[in-house]
Amino acid sequence: MEKEELRKCCHDLQNVLTDGELKDINCYELYEELLIFCTIISEETTAFQALSVLKKCCGVLYHSVTSLATLSIEQQITDSLDFSELIAIFAAAKARKKQF
């Protein structure tokens, strides 16, 4: 499918899923996401492989969203944290250094 045809399909889908000012999707975001997905998979990819890739991506996305939601809920605590110091402590603990 050509990019212009894909863009038109995304726009048409947005129009179908729009009720007045309420939109279920944003056609521009959907278009960008589909372009990214198309770069991840090749034309030889089977439907099962494509779904497997989507499942993995959704799992990573779900974990990220869950982490951000937790930070948002615990905003008072996170506001008091110095992330640069925490990152330095974590990096020092995980670094593999050889002492000579």
Side-chain angles (χ1 to χ4, degrees), residues 46-59:
T46 65
F48 181 76
Q49 291 169 329
L51 288 173
S52 178
V53 168
L54 275 176
K55 185 178 177 183
K56 289 177 186 175
C57 290
C58 289

Side-chain angles (χ1 to χ4, degrees), residues 1-9 31:
M1 180 179 290
E2 297 294 322
K3 288 184 178 182
E4 277 305 311
E5 185 180 357
L6 179 61
R7 187 185 321 259
K8 183 183 179 319
C9 289
Y31 174 74

Side-chain angles (χ1 to χ4, degrees), residues 7-100:
R7 187 185 321 259
K8 183 183 179 319
C9 289
C10 292
H11 187 70
D12 292 344
L13 182 61
Q14 176 182 310
N15 288 340
V16 169
L17 298 175
T18 299
D19 181 27
E21 294 294 317
L22 302 174
K23 296 179 182 179
D24 285 336
I25 65 165
N26 180 309
C27 65
Y28 302 109
E29 290 176 3
L30 177 61
Y31 174 74
E32 292 296 323
E33 291 166 358
L34 289 173
L35 286 180
I36 291 169
F37 181 70
C38 288
T39 60
I40 293 173
I41 62 169
S42 66
E43 289 184 18
E44 295 83 28
T45 304
T46 65
F48 181 76
Q49 291 169 329
L51 288 173
S52 178
V53 168
L54 275 176
K55 185 178 177 183
K56 289 177 186 175
C57 290
C58 289
V60 170
L61 178 63
Y62 176 78
H63 177 70
S64 299
V65 169
T66 303
S67 298
L68 288 173
T70 303
L71 285 175
S72 177
I73 292 168
E74 302 293 339
Q75 184 177 3
Q76 290 178 343
I77 295 171
T78 56
D79 286 344
S80 66
L81 295 175
D82 180 10
F83 284 102
S84 58
E85 181 181 342
L86 291 173
I87 291 170
I89 293 169
F90 179 79
K94 295 295 179 181
R96 296 181 181 180
K97 296 182 181 179
K98 291 187 178 183
Q99 301 282 334
F100 293 102

